[in-house]
């Protein structure tokens, strides 16, 4: 009698390991799996369509990791499958970015069988030294859980634990699936109950104390403001934030990484605060406040325009995913979700001193210049705001677009994606594919609009083929300004290492398999040409598919915020020990 019969005889609902894993992903809300096939994951991939999932099939593993990141930011969680060694290491930069930016991505790695590992076999895709754990060790630093599925009696628990931690902690997890474990039977009865993804609740006494302290300072403040950052988005507390704003009517601002966290049509919305790179009226109100309620702060260099915040901790209350800080007093384990809800319930609005939010002062016409002249950055970004529609997904690449987008105003229900902290150029093309697919999987029509640099797109342009293959509704503006603009402003304005080859970006749709029915291409050199394009109803909404726009701008033109941040970055890089 086979040994497996003894081990599986007491299973109530035997199910194969791969079926269990992919069913769990489906239950969590994932509908598409990114990645590439390899001989160590092929049998596992047979289970993808069996459980109602779609296989995406990317051009390379790095692009797939970027795409899974973008998918997760829209759908709540993403997944990528790679093969051992060569595949997973190609993806690790993208997964490190997801870890850095707190994006929940499940990384499933098909690996050699447990028998091969025990025997230290000299297999392809290895280092040739018999070490089958080296790559898992590399991924451990950018994963909140590493699960090696080597023992069928533990696999179901390992999978459930990894997926829960991925969701709750908003970090990637690494699941190592040996080839001989794919078809092993485990208890499928567990699938009858979905994984509990609820976060832990606060200790009631501790939470009550923090709420009382916060309310005491809030009621006494003369000029309170709210500042919303990336971790409010990642921790899924935007409903709580909006409820608080709606009740208190306090002026609310976002950081660059928090863009789109707040309804930008709300009368309390004041704009983007980024230290010294902020608009003067925003800087004056935020830095003049005697109480800043900072929600989900992530004070990185580019998110603060070179650490240029001028906010005293004595005037700040910080709400974080797993702790709160009131002035210089820290309260570990007191999560912001519960605190925000209780503050909203108990605040006495009659005691609040509410300042009006600043009104936008930028009129695109002020910066336009001649209609047949160059398209200026200072004009383009306020102008493109008028093109955006409710529900758009708007993605800005590291560099020019990440800074220019600060000057836009979004309509309601926009989702903005950027990678300000990790800043891997080329990320946005893959993330755009993943985000657009997530929207399609959600069953709603949402335009996905990407602002991409002519240098960055050359790293990941192959994903245009994936966009076309999956019939995604995407508009790509390729900013053609002759190279790596942000690097030019940091160092080497005329250096050849900041130059890039000139591509015919309009032809990329055809190169990657598009037809006139699936791809349209455009080029705009002047404000007048751009105005005509944006007024074209077929371009804006009528055509369903990929629209590629070459958008020509000056080589040494950049958003003011980029120039200021680049200057600070250059000084930081040049600092030496005294």
């Amino acid at each position: 009698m086979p040994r497996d019969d003894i081990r599986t005889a007491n299973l109530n609902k035997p199910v194969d390991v791969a079926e269990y894993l992919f069913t769990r992903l489906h239950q969590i809300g994932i509908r598409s799996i990114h990645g590439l096939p390899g001989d160590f994951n092929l049998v596992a991939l047979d289970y993808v369509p069996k459980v109602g999932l779609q296989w995406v099939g990317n051009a390379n593993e790095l692009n797939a990791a970027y795409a899974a990141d973008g998918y997760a930011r829209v759908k709540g969680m993403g997944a990528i499958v790679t093969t051992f060694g060569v595949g997973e290491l190609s993806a690790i930069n993208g997964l490190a970015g997801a870890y850095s930016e707190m994006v929940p991505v499940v990384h499933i790695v098909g690996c050699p069988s447990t028998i091969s590992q025990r025997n230290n076999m000299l297999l392809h895709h290895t280092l040739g030294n018999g070490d089958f754990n080296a790559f898992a060790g590399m991924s451990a630093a950018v994963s909140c859980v590493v699960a090696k599925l080597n023992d069928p009696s533990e696999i179901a628990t390992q999978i459930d634990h990894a997926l829960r931690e991925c969701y709750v902690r908003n970090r990637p997890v690494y699941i190592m699936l040996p080839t001989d474990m794919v078809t092993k039977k485990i208890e499928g009865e567990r699938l009858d109950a979905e994984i509990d993804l609820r976060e832990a609740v606060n200790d009631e006494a501790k939470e009550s104390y923090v709420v009382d302290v916060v309310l005491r300072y809030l009621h006494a403040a003369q000029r309170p403001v709210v500042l919303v950052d990336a971790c409010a988005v990642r921790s899924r507390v935007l409903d709580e934030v909006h409820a608080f704003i709606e009740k208190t009517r306090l002026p609310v601002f976002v950081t660059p990484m928090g863009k789109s966290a707040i309804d930008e049509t709300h009368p309390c919305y004041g704009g983007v605060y980024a230290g010294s790179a902020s608009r003067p009226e925003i800087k004056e109100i935020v830095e003049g406040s005697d109480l800043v309620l900072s929600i989900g702060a992530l004070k990185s260099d580019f998110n603060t325009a070179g650490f240029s915040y001028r906010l005293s901790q004595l005037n700040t209350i910080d709400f974080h995913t797993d702790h709160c800080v009131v002035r210089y007093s820290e309260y570990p384990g007191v999560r912001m979700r519960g605190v925000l809800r209780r503050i909203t319930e108990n605040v006495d609005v009659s005691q609040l001193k509410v300042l009006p939010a600043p009104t936008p002062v930028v009129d695109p016409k002020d910066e336009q210049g001649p209609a047949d002249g160059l398209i200026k950055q200072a004009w383009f970004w306020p102008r493109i705001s008028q093109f955006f529609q409710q529900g758009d997904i708007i993605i800005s690449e590291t560099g020019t677009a990440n800074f220019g987008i600060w000057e836009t105003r979004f309509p309601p229900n926009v989702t903005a994606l950027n990678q300000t902290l990790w800043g891997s150029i080329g990320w946005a093309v893959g993330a755009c594919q993943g985000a657009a697919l997530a929207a399609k999987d959600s069953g709603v029509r949402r335009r996905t609009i990407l602002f991409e640099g002519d240098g960055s797109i050359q790293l990941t342009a192959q994903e245009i083929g994936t966009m076309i293959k999956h019939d995604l509704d995407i508009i790509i503006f390729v900013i053609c300004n002759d190279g790596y603009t942000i690097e030019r402003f940091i160092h080497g304005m005329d250096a050849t290492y900041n130059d890039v080859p000139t591509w015919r970006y309009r032809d990329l749709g055809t190169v990657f398999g598009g037809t006139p029915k699936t791809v349209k291409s455009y080029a705009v050199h002047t404000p007048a040409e751009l105005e005509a394009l944006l007024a074209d109803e077929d371009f804006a909404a009528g055509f369903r598919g990929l629209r590629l726009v070459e958008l020509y701008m000056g080589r040494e033109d950049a958003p003011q915020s980029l120039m200021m941040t680049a200057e600070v970055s250059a000084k930081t890089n040049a600092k030496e020990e005294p």
Side-chain angles (χ1 to χ4, degrees), residues 144 285 421:
C144 69
I285 291 179
L421 178 57

Side-chain angles (χ1 to χ4, degrees), residues 62 65-66 88-99 419 422 424-425:
L62 177 59
Y66 290 155
E88 60 180 301
L89 294 187
S90 292
I92 199 168
N93 170 40
L95 292 158
Y99 186 92
Q419 203 193 45
W422 186 244
S424 183
I425 64 172

Side-chain angles (χ1 to χ4, degrees), residues 146-217:
V146 172
K148 301 176 182 178
L149 308 185
N150 296 329
D151 184 349
S153 66
E154 299 177 353
I155 285 176
T157 301
Q158 286 179 290
I159 290 172
D160 290 0
H161 171 71
L163 298 186
R164 172 177 162 75
E165 292 299 292
C166 181
Y167 183 85
V168 172
R169 294 171 62 181
N170 293 299
R171 305 278 191 183
V173 294
Y174 178 95
I175 297 177
M176 195 170 175
L177 179 58
T179 55
D180 59 336
M181 291 293 114
V182 171
T183 60
K184 292 293 184 186
K185 300 296 183 182
I186 59 176
E187 183 56 76
E189 194 171 57
R190 296 173 62 110
L191 295 172
D192 294 341
E194 296 188 4
I195 301 171
D196 184 0
L197 300 178
R198 293 173 297 179
E199 69 177 41
V201 297
N202 292 329
D203 177 275
E204 187 174 353
K206 291 180 180 178
E207 180 179 279
S208 296
Y209 180 79
V210 173
V211 169
D212 289 344
V213 173
V214 171
L215 287 175
R216 185 164 68 249
Y217 286 122

